[in-house]
Amino acid sequence: ENVRTIIPVPRFPEARIGELRKLSLTDYPDLAAATIYLAGCNLKCPYCFKKNLVFIPENFEYLPSEEVMEFLEKRRGVLDAVCINGGEPLLQEELFDFIKAIKDMGYKVKLDTNGFRPDRLKEIVSAGLVDYVAMDVKNVPDKYAATIGLSENSFKMNNVMESIEYLLRDPVDYEFRVTVVRYLHTFQDMEAIGEWLKNSRHFYLQKFQDNGNTLVPGFTAYSREEMEEMLAIVRKYIPAAELRGV
């Protein structure tokens, strides 16, 4: 007698989930959100505070997608939104279906990205799968390599430029943000960044926070007063610019 093996079909798309923050009142502007941190990144920013999602240990235990999605199902009507963070989410091939499953639950979705995959960014935005995009702009172009921890010839700056130009055309609500780190960013850089991202819809200068888990230890932040001086420089070009985390 033939016995057929029935392989259960997963209810939800899989994703390499590193962490889940069950409630955030700051990750999605003005909404209560859960934040999903996807593992894996193409950059090695020395000041990154998610070292475990960049250099993934061999024995790393991913959170089961099913478990995370079941949590989101239970929180429908309590949470308004889900933020997809990383690592770099756009590296994951399953991302399109993963976000679609979240949207189908009725959530607003915010995507955080470094902008190095403009092709995938455009695909997801044009499909109407995200309501808000937050793009990290690491530094002025000629200091990008040092700021992302890679050599000049190992990444395509044009990809970052393409993502920025795309978002500036307003295909979706968006923000640009720069995490300001002493010795990596200067007051002169703020002038150039402001000019580069002129008239952005939303723009934030974020104060560097050392949580003890950075890729390279020893980085420090600028003071509140210095951050306010930098903001004044940027606001000449981006009137909507604000500080975050000071």
Side-chain angles (χ1 to χ4, degrees):
E1 188 177 332
N2 292 329
V3 178
R4 286 190 302 164
T5 303
I6 298 173
I7 301 171
V9 177
R11 288 176 60 217
F12 298 109
E14 287 296 323
R16 295 188 303 283
I17 301 172
E19 295 176 27
L20 169 66
R21 188 179 183 187
K22 293 185 174 181
L23 174 64
S24 170
L25 300 177
T26 56
D27 286 348
Y28 197 119
D30 304 320
L31 296 180
T35 301
I36 298 169
Y37 293 91
L38 301 185
C41 191
N42 53 333
L43 308 185
K44 303 293 180 282
C45 305
Y47 58 93
C48 176
F49 62 91
K50 288 285 184 185
K51 181 166 63 176
N52 59 318
L53 298 183
V54 176
F55 297 107
I56 303 168
E58 265 185 52
N59 59 349
F60 190 86
E61 290 188 19
Y62 297 103
L63 292 177
S65 295
E66 189 92 4
E67 187 180 299
V68 172
M69 296 301 238
E70 283 172 0
F71 165 78
L72 293 178
E73 277 197 322
K74 287 176 187 168
R75 302 302 283 172
R76 287 165 76 169
V78 178
L79 295 172
D80 307 302
V82 177
C83 302
I84 309 292
N85 208 320
E88 173 48 49
L90 291 175
L91 297 179
Q92 297 211 18
E93 292 305 319
E94 309 84 359
L95 186 65
F96 193 101
D97 292 335
F98 185 69
I99 292 180
K100 187 175 186 309
I102 294 171
K103 286 290 286 181
D104 287 347
M105 291 184 203
Y107 286 107
K108 286 187 175 293
V109 174
K110 170 176 171 271
L111 173 71
D112 292 62
T113 181
N114 59 32
F116 275 90
R117 288 296 306 269
D119 53 337
R120 301 216 67 207
L121 174 62
K122 291 174 184 178
E123 177 189 19
I124 282 174
V125 169
S126 62
L129 292 181
V130 292
D131 304 278
Y132 194 94
V133 173
M135 179 176 161
D136 286 299
V137 177
K138 303 297 184 177
N139 212 328
V140 293
D142 62 352
K143 292 171 75 173
Y144 238 77
T147 312
I148 64 176
L150 298 176
S151 62
E152 292 278 3
N153 58 0
S154 62
F155 67 93
K156 294 179 180 176
M157 190 64 206
N158 284 349
N159 287 0
V160 174
M161 305 278 199
E162 188 177 336
S163 291
I164 288 171
E165 287 165 12
Y166 175 64
L167 291 175
L168 283 171
R169 294 199 293 271
D170 271 348
V172 66
D173 202 7
Y174 70 90
E175 71 178 53
F176 296 120
R177 60 193 183 199
V178 178
T179 300
V180 185
V181 186
R182 194 178 291 278
Y183 304 121
L184 289 177
H185 301 91
T186 66
F187 286 84
Q188 290 80 9
D189 294 335
M190 296 305 118
E191 193 87 39
I193 287 170
E195 208 164 355
W196 184 18
L197 304 176
K198 193 173 183 179
N199 294 325
S200 301
R201 188 189 288 197
H202 306 292
F203 178 92
Y204 295 92
L205 288 181
Q206 298 187 153
K207 187 176 181 180
F208 167 69
Q209 308 284 345
D210 185 0
N211 69 344
N213 192 38
T214 54
L215 266 65
V216 178
F219 286 100
T220 57
Y222 283 97
S223 68
R224 182 187 181 92
E225 292 71 28
E226 289 168 319
M227 292 289 291
E228 286 173 348
E229 286 179 48
M230 289 180 164
L231 179 64
I233 294 169
V234 170
R235 276 186 170 164
K236 292 189 294 183
Y237 307 93
I238 310 172
E242 296 179 53
L243 294 180
R244 182 182 277 160
V246 298

